[in-house]
């Protein structure tokens, strides 16, 4: 059974309700068909019911098992408007503005459904930027208690790979924080380790990546990574070049005695440029499955998609989101 199949089976063990607000995108409707057929989650599709059903029929997709919620006609919309005003009144939000937002920006409507307990999580981003997806989350849901920073990672599954956890890795931050400082980088490492343990169900081994291994180069960028390499509660070490982090022979040569070198399965990149380039190299050249960007640190599970995603990618991220929702229930 492949990795994402295991995630799907875990999602099925306690069915969660996930909002898909991008009903104007045919990939969303195709994914909805597959999710419902496989029984991975209950779905809420946000949009005009007639238009959504028409688009699904044109694509040959069966979405009859999904709940379609039209903000213009839903009896719950007024309650969402009132709550949004309450949450954002210090920022000057008026009832008129809240109504305008919720009737026209379905991502905000979806997040309000999660906030009000009418859904467990949301997946968006097929046709919206990461900023557009995360903005309503940060405004409405806020950060998870005890979390210093919202960050994003990709779950990378490399076929026929002896490195990592049988080819499974978390790459963080590969989707959100442009140039984290040492404290932020340390927080990303802690969150990414927790996410790896939840999703892969193995112990995280965390490498702080750089162009230097254990002082082989001198630069302020290296100093940042060295300063961030601190967490006595984790198997975490650095700074490492990538090969020293994941290849046992190279790790033993470049960082003898390190408990992490050559064994890492959680890779923490020094900035967003490196993280984004790294995951796309793995996806395109190593033919890896890349799920994400998955967010961590938001009070409720809301996940982003790459705008280049396929319907199957959406299915996978919905399954991952459902498992995150299950974990929230158990805390």
């Amino acid at each position: 059974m492949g990795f994402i199949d295991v995630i799907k089976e875990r999602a099925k063990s306690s069915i969660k309700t996930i909002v898909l607000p991008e009903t104007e995108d045919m990939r969303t409707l195709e994914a909805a068909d597959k999710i419902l057929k496989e029984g991975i989650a209950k779905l809420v599709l946000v949009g005009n019911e007639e238009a959504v059903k028409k688009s699904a029929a044109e694509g040959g997709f069966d979405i009859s098992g999904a709940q379609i919620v039209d903000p213009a006609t839903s009896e719950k919309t007024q309650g969402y408007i009132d709550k949004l005003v309450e949450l954002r009144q210090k920022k000057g939000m008026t009832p008129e503005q809240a109504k305008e937002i919720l009737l026209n920006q379905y991502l905000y409507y979806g997040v309000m459904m999660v906030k009000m307990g009418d859904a467990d999580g949301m997946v968006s981003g097929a046709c919206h930027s990461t900023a557009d997806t995360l903005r309503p989350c940060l405004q409405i849901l806020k950060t998870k208690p005890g979390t210093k920073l919202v960050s994003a990672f990709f779950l990378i599954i490399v076929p026929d790979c002896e490195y990592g956890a049988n080819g499974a890795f978390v790459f963080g931050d590969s989707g959100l924080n442009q140039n984290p400082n040492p404290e932020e980088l340390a927080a990303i490492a802690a969150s990414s380790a927790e996410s790896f343990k939840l999703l892969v169900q193995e112990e995280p081994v965390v490498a702080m990546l750089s162009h230097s291994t254990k002082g082989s180069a001198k630069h302020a960028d290296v100093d940042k990574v060295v300063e961030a390499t601190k967490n006595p509660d984790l198997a975490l070490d650095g700074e490492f070049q990538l090969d020293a982090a994941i290849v046992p022979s190279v790790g033993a040569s470049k960082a003898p005695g390190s408990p992490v070198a050559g064994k890492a399965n959680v890779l923490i990149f020094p900035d967003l440029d490196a993280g984004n380039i790294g995951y796309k190299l793995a996806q395109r050249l190593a033919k890896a499955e890349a799920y994400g960007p998955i967010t961590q640190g938001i009070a409720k599970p809301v996940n982003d998609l790459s705008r280049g995603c396929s319907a199957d990618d959406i299915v996978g991220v919905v399954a991952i989101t459902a498992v995150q929702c299950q974990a929230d229930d158990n805390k």
Side-chain angles (χ1 to χ4, degrees), residues 281-328:
L281 279 170
Q283 181 184 34
R284 301 300 179 181
L285 299 186
K287 308 298 183 186
E289 299 171 46
Y291 297 98
I294 309 296
T295 54
Q296 50 193 8
I298 297 175
K300 295 282 186 180
V302 174
N303 282 318
D304 191 18
L305 296 160
S306 167
R307 278 175 284 180
C309 69
S310 66
D312 285 336
D313 292 335
I314 299 173
V315 175
V317 173
V318 167
I320 290 167
T321 307
V323 170
Q324 289 179 313
C325 294
Q326 292 171 353
D328 277 1

Side-chain angles (χ1 to χ4, degrees), residues 219-294:
H219 192 275
D221 289 347
V222 177
D223 296 340
K224 178 180 84 166
V225 176
V226 172
E227 190 178 338
T229 304
K230 51 183 180 184
N231 194 321
D233 298 327
L234 290 174
L236 178 149
D237 200 7
E239 84 284 12
F240 292 133
Q241 293 160 294
L242 178 66
D243 55 355
I246 67 171
V247 180
S249 60
V250 179
S253 171
K254 291 188 174 183
S258 169
V260 170
K263 304 171 187 172
N265 49 37
V266 177
L267 305 180
I268 305 303
F269 292 82
D271 57 40
L272 186 57
D273 285 339
N276 185 272
I277 292 165
Y279 102 76
K280 289 189 175 179
L281 279 170
Q283 181 184 34
R284 301 300 179 181
L285 299 186
K287 308 298 183 186
E289 299 171 46
Y291 297 98
I294 309 296

